[in-house]
Amino acid sequence: MLRTLYKIARTGVVSEPAAKDAAPALEVVGERLRAALVRRLSRSLAIRQVDAGSCNGCELEIHALDNPYYAIERYGVRFVASPRHADLLLVTGPVSRHMEAALRAVYEAMPEPRLVIAVGDCGADGGEFGVSYASCGGVASVIPVDGVVRGCPPTPAELMRGILEVLEIAAGQPK
Amino acid sequence: MSTGGAFAWFEAFLADCRGENLLVEEVAGPAGPARCLRLDPEDWGAFARLAARTGLRWCAVWGEHRPPRIVVSACLERAGGYLLARTAVEEATPVLPSHTPHYPAADRPERHLQDLLGVVFTDHPDARRWVRHRAWGESEFPLRRDFPLRREAPGPTPPDADYPFLRTEGAGVYEIPVGPVHAGIIEPGHFRFQAIGEAVLNLEERLGYTHKGIEKLAEGRDAEGLARLAGRVSGDSTVGHTWAACQAMERAAQLEPPPRALALRGLLAKRERIANHLGDVGAICNDVGFAFAWFQFSRLRERWQRDNARVFGHRLLRGAVVPGGTAVDVSPQEHRELAGAAAALAHELDELVPILEENASLQDRLVGTGVLPRETAERLGTLGYVARASGIDRDVRRDAPYFPYDRLEVRVPVRAAGDVAARLAVRIEELRIGLELHARLLDMLPGGAVRVPWRGAAPGAEGLGIVEGWRGEILAFVRFGPRGEVARYYPRDPSWLNWPALEVLIDGNIVPDFPVCNKSVNASYSGHDL
């Protein structure tokens, strides 16, 4: 136990240095994100993530949002287990035809108002996989999309900025 | 073509085949390490029976529509020597005996072949569809040449609602359907549990949700395009799959990448393995509530990925391996930085690992959980760290080495217990060994170019690539068509052979331990569904 505490103390808080390598600084993005949440969603944003057929690269980077460097929870953003608890749907693609019905069902299960972000080049337009007998292509071909974060996969900093953009646009609209 | 030690068993096996009156003939096969036998379709099943009796391990099966026939290839291995068995059936009557009665590992791969090419395996114990849901019909086969890649969908694709799952009945037995959308940030798949109280009586997996037509998409691509696609078979194995695909293409084209490029591929593969193990070690501990490990190991993983981005241009190393070599190089300055960061990581592990090992409540949750007995692992053809944690001493880098591993001593960690704790211990040991190899590869990094220009392959040229990815053996088959384009690509991710192990090792465990058992195996959905 002492060893654990010693390691925790020695590690310290690593969340700060994350600001150094993101442009604009991650802290700035985070603070704007927090402000947008205060205006729009009573300080908290619940995200439901759905992999609608990705290669799992996007999932690795979305996961990283929870690591101590990005620690997205400190801005009031958390990932929830059910679409019924979610304000925002983060969808990675391409949407495989075998996931098409499940994705629609998840979208339908969300309370309104609801936001959708298509993540990655595949979520944007099908990416490397395009449209085929097995793939519907981008997320927008299946459910309405409010924003797109491109990249293969997008970095955690790009994901944070993408979430912020969609919230700022949404916050500018009447509730 | 290799002969020597790895094939010491080959002549005797061939004699046994003839002794059983099998029509076999050794023929020239795809360029690569495998020796190739041509078989009569009627002998396909008897061959598998003999191979199983002889102790050959079953690796893969795939087919290619070459009108008017369908060519079927199966890959097996013994003592580091690979054997490719081939046969052909008429497209109008594509019937073959199944390998599954002799090799349970062949079960799902054969059903995949049935769904995508329409090959019927007569004595297959399970005639149900596998990768096919409702995106195409029972009598349509996407990998047939007359099936168009971009076929329009008639409307929304309905869910695969009537798949005939196994049923368990009896007092107190209930069923838990989970997925395809799961609670966490993970890939989609369906798990059907039959449980009594908290104990799992039976788990049945239903996969295929992320099927995005990778094999069909490969047709007609050039070498660069295929490498790009291979890098997206499974996002966490982008180096492994691209290396296997490039190895297959380079062998087919008789193109030898420069030694520096191959050593760099080794280095990139180590970096991929280390990143994935760091993430999973933390996640396994987190799944039983030990958040300390998750924060620490996800911190280490993040730092490692940032080094990837800085030196190799991508956090997950995408696009680093290309046909003919690598698209990345390491400057003397970066060389020092990578070595320094790896040494720092080794030091962090020295501090963290004892904390995990000495934490009684963590070990209490992991020891004895999700046991995969060695015999079962052997029977299912299990690969990688899952196999090694169940006592199977197997690693392509040591058993069928390719440059740079033929110049290095690759230590293979093995544990006997087969439980989550053993899989965690093997992964931690692989982190340490990975860091040793990372240092050795940096030390031995040859000078010179990192890439030779791709110059195309002869029409009909075939190659087989076999590398050890971070999950285990990755196999890639490539055949080029008349214009030097890719006519067929088949990637066999190790997940094909590890998913069935999860069904078995969960038996008798409690339902809430499924996440930790699943994470300890961490098979890829995308790499399996293709």
Side-chain angles (χ1 to χ4, degrees):
Chain A
M1 193 63 212
L2 276 176
R3 217 196 290 237
T4 309
L5 292 172
Y6 178 68
K7 182 70 188 170
I8 290 171
R10 276 256 313 251
T11 303
V13 176
V14 296
S15 302
E16 284 293 321
K20 284 182 196 147
D21 66 82
L26 201 60
E27 283 292 319
V28 177
V29 174
E31 286 310 321
R32 281 170 58 203
L33 188 55
R34 200 203 307 266
L37 290 180
V38 169
R39 287 199 305 279
R40 174 77 181 167
L41 289 157
S42 306
R43 297 187 170 81
S44 88
L45 175 71
I47 300 182
R48 172 66 249 204
Q49 192 268 339
V50 171
D51 174 343
S54 90
C55 74
N56 77 31
C58 286
E59 278 60 41
L60 292 170
E61 294 297 60
I62 294 171
H63 246 294
L65 288 172
D66 268 335
N67 80 32
Y69 281 86
Y70 304 100
I72 196 168
E73 279 207 25
R74 66 189 148 143
Y75 304 117
V77 178
R78 69 208 159 86
F79 288 89
V80 293
S82 168
R84 297 191 194 282
H85 306 156
D87 308 302
L88 187 146
L89 195 62
L90 215 50
V91 189
T92 60
V95 182
S96 70
R97 296 206 183 276
H98 292 168
M99 276 301 286
E100 190 181 346
L103 178 61
R104 283 183 208 281
V106 166
Y107 180 72
E108 292 305 323
M110 290 175 74
E112 294 195 55
R114 56 193 165 190
L115 296 168
V116 176
I117 297 181
V119 173
D121 289 345
C122 297
D125 58 15
E128 196 65 41
F129 304 101
V131 177
S132 74
Y133 78 93
S135 162
C136 305
V139 177
S141 62
V142 178
I143 55 172
V145 165
D146 300 282
V148 175
V149 187
R150 280 196 165 266
C152 188
T155 64
E158 286 164 352
L159 284 163
M160 272 182 74
R161 279 197 290 281
I163 294 168
L164 171 67
E165 264 174 38
V166 167
L167 286 178
E168 287 190 331
I169 293 167
Q173 294 162 356
K175 229 178 188 178
Chain B
M1 186 185 299
S2 324
T3 46
F7 286 96
W9 50 273
F10 184 78
E11 292 304 328
F13 176 69
L14 208 55
D16 285 348
C17 286
R18 292 188 173 124
E20 299 241 345
N21 292 318
L22 304 185
L23 287 174
V24 296
E25 184 191 356
E26 184 165 14
V27 292
R35 295 180 76 163
C36 188
L37 291 180
R38 186 162 63 210
L39 286 149
D40 191 85
E42 284 178 20
D43 292 336
W44 192 249
F47 167 81
R49 187 177 61 230
L50 183 62
R53 213 165 62 211
T54 312
L56 272 74
R57 175 174 67 89
W58 194 94
C59 308
V61 69
W62 65 92
E64 183 184 359
H65 189 202
R66 296 170 68 177
R69 305 202 299 170
I70 295 170
V71 178
V72 177
S73 308
C75 186
L76 300 97
E77 179 265 355
R78 187 180 175 194
Y82 284 87
L83 173 64
L84 200 68
R86 276 199 156 160
T87 193
V89 290
E90 299 300 317
E91 64 182 13
T93 52
V95 177
L96 267 184
S98 168
H99 282 183
T100 306
H102 318 291
Y103 286 110
D107 182 330
R108 291 170 180 179
E110 284 186 344
R111 285 160 70 194
H112 178 78
L113 195 51
Q114 159 203 295
D115 289 351
L116 285 145
L117 265 167
V119 178
V120 178
F121 292 94
T122 44
D123 50 347
H124 196 294
D126 187 348
R128 291 177 298 172
R129 60 188 179 273
W130 181 241
V131 166
R132 177 171 66 83
H133 292 195
R134 297 289 197 86
W136 66 96
E138 193 175 359
S139 54
E140 301 173 304
F141 308 109
L143 287 181
R144 294 280 180 103
R145 297 288 180 208
D146 52 358
F147 188 102
L149 169 65
R150 294 186 213 294
R151 193 175 73 158
E152 292 275 320
T157 309
D160 192 33
D162 59 350
Y163 183 76
F165 285 98
L166 299 176
R167 302 297 296 268
T168 309
E169 282 169 21
V173 179
Y174 65 103
E175 197 173 78
I176 314 172
V178 180
V181 178
H182 300 154
I185 302 168
I186 46 170
E187 299 178 79
H190 184 90
F191 301 109
R192 189 65 64 99
F193 295 92
Q194 264 88 32
I196 187 157
E198 280 201 304
V200 178
L201 282 180
N202 188 57
L203 163 65
E204 189 177 359
E205 297 159 356
R206 175 80 182 113
L207 301 174
Y209 288 92
T210 70
H211 177 72
K212 38 197 174 278
I214 286 174
E215 291 167 272
K216 189 80 179 177
L217 278 166
E219 293 176 9
R221 288 195 173 217
D222 60 11
E224 300 266 348
L226 186 71
R228 250 188 356 260
L229 186 65
R232 286 156 180 84
V233 167
S234 181
D236 53 19
S237 304
T238 187
V239 174
H241 272 288
T242 315
W243 192 351
C246 286
Q247 199 184 59
M249 290 193 283
E250 287 152 5
R251 283 171 174 167
Q254 295 174 310
L255 183 71
E256 187 67 35
R260 185 172 177 85
L262 293 173
L264 278 170
R265 286 180 184 179
L267 186 77
L268 294 163
K270 291 291 90 43
R271 295 194 65 83
E272 181 166 272
R273 178 183 299 260
I274 289 166
N276 281 303
H277 280 342
L278 286 174
D280 279 3
V281 167
I284 289 166
C285 295
N286 198 49
D287 274 344
V288 293
F290 192 47
F292 165 79
W294 187 80
F295 284 111
Q296 291 289 343
F297 280 87
S298 66
R299 172 178 67 86
L300 299 177
R301 182 188 158 103
E302 176 66 23
R303 283 201 340 211
W304 195 252
Q305 280 192 269
R306 287 180 181 198
D307 288 343
N308 282 346
R310 200 175 61 249
V311 178
F312 301 108
H314 195 281
R315 285 165 56 88
L316 300 175
L317 305 171
R318 278 232 160 113
V321 177
V322 291
T326 60
V328 297
D329 202 352
V330 176
S331 71
Q333 167 70 17
E334 290 164 340
H335 190 286
R336 280 191 298 277
E337 284 172 17
L338 289 178
L345 176 57
H347 178 70
E348 295 260 12
L349 290 177
D350 288 342
E351 283 184 1
L352 284 169
V353 171
I355 295 176
L356 267 50
E357 286 168 351
E358 290 165 19
N359 189 310
S361 64
L362 176 69
Q363 293 301 323
D364 179 54
R365 295 286 283 108
L366 303 181
V367 174
T369 300
V371 176
L372 179 69
R374 181 189 171 130
E375 311 75 67
T376 314
E378 287 278 12
R379 194 164 51 78
L380 296 176
T382 312
L383 295 168
Y385 49 81
V386 183
R388 295 193 276 272
S390 288
I392 299 176
D393 188 4
R394 181 182 297 151
D395 192 314
V396 182
R397 295 172 298 172
R398 184 200 56 199
D399 304 335
Y402 41 100
F403 188 87
Y405 301 111
D406 53 358
R407 309 288 169 85
L408 296 166
E409 188 205 348
V410 180
R411 287 197 293 127
V412 181
V414 177
R415 294 288 184 281
D419 54 5
V420 175
R423 286 187 285 280
L424 184 68
V426 166
R427 281 156 169 265
I428 287 172
E429 193 60 22
E430 287 188 14
L431 277 172
R432 291 202 167 112
I433 295 170
L435 285 169
E436 282 168 28
L437 287 172
H438 189 275
R440 295 283 308 282
L441 283 163
L442 281 173
D443 287 345
M444 69 170 269
L445 208 57
V450 295
R451 192 173 185 179
V452 290
W454 175 255
R455 55 156 195 245
E462 300 177 305
L464 189 64
I466 304 173
V467 303
E468 184 81 12
W470 76 273
R471 271 197 185 87
E473 172 195 71
I474 296 178
L475 190 147
F477 168 77
V478 176
R479 195 176 71 84
F480 288 94
R483 288 165 288 108
E485 84 289 7
V486 172
R488 182 76 173 102
Y489 166 56
Y490 176 71
R492 206 292 329 276
D493 190 87
S495 304
W496 274 98
L497 303 182
N498 283 357
W499 273 117
L502 179 64
E503 277 187 348
V504 176
L505 64 84
I506 194 67
D507 274 356
N509 285 262
I510 58 173
V511 177
D513 273 355
F514 178 70
V516 70
C517 289
N518 190 13
K519 187 44 95 175
S520 73
V521 173
N522 193 1
S524 167
Y525 299 70
S526 181
H528 167 281
D529 294 348
L530 297 178

